[in-house]
Amino acid sequence: MAANEPLLPLLERVAELLRGAERIACLTGAGVSAESGVPTFRGVGGLWEGRRPETLATPEAFASDPEEVWRFYLWRRRLLLACKPNPGHCALARLERQKPGFTLITQNVDGLHLQAGSRRVLAVHGDIWIDRCTRCGREARSTGEDLETIPRCGACGALARPGVVWFGEMLPTDVWTQAERAAASCDVMLVVGTSSLVYPAASLADVARAGGATIAEINPEATPVTSQADVAISSPSGQALPAIVDGLGTS
Ligand code: BJW
Ligand code: ZN
């Protein structure tokens, strides 16, 4: 808690906002899993440091070299097996239990929010543990037992692909519709651990603001949302979120 001391008034302000809110939407990005040991995408030490993600995470990259793309995703699955939810994920799971009008929207494909106990998670960029057949579309969840072999469809034998959303692909319609609705109707939106560079997810903060919501951002670095936010907390989410949720019970 000592590390949070200079931020206490801001943390209390967010707790106060959440206390008075009926509907809360929270958008998370890779930063919320950083303290679990999951690399972020951009920036120093990120998965894409020094590379152009638009040329890697695309259906075109998969079509031209599926083995190379699968090597990257199988490596990430192996890495995830060693990661567990951090106090930030756990605080959001607690917030869901305390606030019935809470909606969690995540860009993360790592499944850590569900592992932390969040029950309703709108995963707008899919799920890294899903294998989707490139021919018949059948989906299967990887057991994580064989993370060396490129997955093939159990029904038709064709090559599978990871069940994530690449650049140029549509987000899952039903999930996206629910995310937009939650953003448009919330009283408070928390924007946590995302660079807010990738659309349409990054537009959710604008949607929320246009609907009259108060925006609170938690991110150690400035983003395009920071200057628009009503409250910006420059701190790792694994420290700020538990402090905020702990403070909810007090007045
Ligand atoms: C911490 C921390 C700690 C660190 N605590 N914080 C409008 C304008 C311009 C472009 C577009 C537009 N609309 C659409 C586009 C095109 C494109 C796009 O957005 N391009 C931009 C790059 C400009 N979008 C799309 O193509 C999307 N589809 C689409 O729009 O469909 C409609 C359509 C179809 C066809 C034609 C045209 C339109 C799809 C986007 C899919 C994104 N997919 C990825 C890969 C997923 C699979 C995988 O995991 O490999 O999703 S890209 C990657 O970025 C991943 C993430 O979910 C996403 C966002 O990244 P995120 O989470 O913000 O991570 P980072 O690394 O960027 O940031 C981490 C942050 O954490 C930093 O700020 C740190 O400071 C912070 N941090 N430690 C708190 N401890
Ligand atoms: Zn198939």
Side-chain angles (χ1 to χ4, degrees):
M1 200 63 64
N4 278 331
E5 217 161 291
L7 297 170
L8 279 177
L10 295 177
L11 296 166
E12 171 51 31
R13 169 105 198 276
V14 178
E16 185 72 50
L17 287 168
L18 296 180
R19 222 177 282 133
E22 199 175 315
R23 288 166 186 253
I24 301 163
C26 176
L27 172 68
T28 65
V32 83
S33 295
E35 289 153 274
S36 294
V38 184
T40 59
F41 292 92
R42 297 163 187 83
V44 178
L47 287 169
W48 292 336
E49 188 182 6
R51 299 197 255 181
R52 289 188 58 221
E54 296 86 336
T55 61
L56 288 171
T58 62
E60 291 77 16
F62 185 72
S64 91
D65 195 346
E67 287 197 5
E68 174 68 22
V69 173
W70 261 119
R71 265 196 293 278
F72 175 58
Y73 282 92
L74 289 173
W75 169 76
R76 283 172 59 195
R77 284 182 180 179
R78 288 195 296 272
L79 190 143
L80 276 174
L81 282 184
C83 297
K84 54 182 192 352
N86 67 57
H89 296 108
C90 297
L92 290 174
R94 276 195 286 144
L95 186 56
E96 181 190 63
R97 289 195 289 273
Q98 288 183 30
K99 287 284 194 177
F102 177 79
T103 302
L104 182 55
I105 305 160
T106 190
Q107 297 168 83
N108 298 346
V109 298
D110 57 30
L112 290 178
H113 283 303
L114 286 169
Q115 274 188 48
S118 287
R119 277 164 296 197
R120 205 169 139 256
V121 181
L122 300 175
V124 294
H125 289 165
D127 181 340
I128 197 172
W129 291 101
I130 295 289
D131 299 331
R132 188 187 316 130
C133 178
T134 55
R135 188 190 292 150
C136 73
R138 180 179 187 260
E139 292 193 345
R141 174 162 286 276
S142 164
T143 60
E145 276 160 26
D146 178 2
L147 293 176
E148 301 293 338
T149 313
I150 295 179
R152 304 197 74 91
C153 176
C156 77
L159 180 69
R161 57 159 284 176
V164 300
V165 180
W166 285 321
F167 285 111
E169 294 185 315
M170 302 297 288
L171 278 58
T173 313
D174 179 45
V175 174
W176 176 250
T177 305
Q178 292 181 60
E180 255 189 326
R181 249 183 230 144
S185 63
C186 68
D187 305 309
V188 176
M189 173 172 263
L190 301 175
V191 182
V192 185
T194 175
S195 57
S196 291
L197 294 173
V198 173
Y199 285 82
S203 69
L204 290 172
D206 299 322
V207 171
R209 196 179 310 106
T214 304
I215 312 292
E217 184 187 52
I218 300 170
N219 195 317
E221 306 290 335
T223 77
V225 166
T226 311
S227 60
Q228 317 280 323
D230 299 278
V231 189
I233 296 182
S234 179
S235 160
S237 49
Q239 293 175 23
L241 285 169
I244 290 166
V245 178
D246 286 349
L248 264 184
T250 61
S251 52

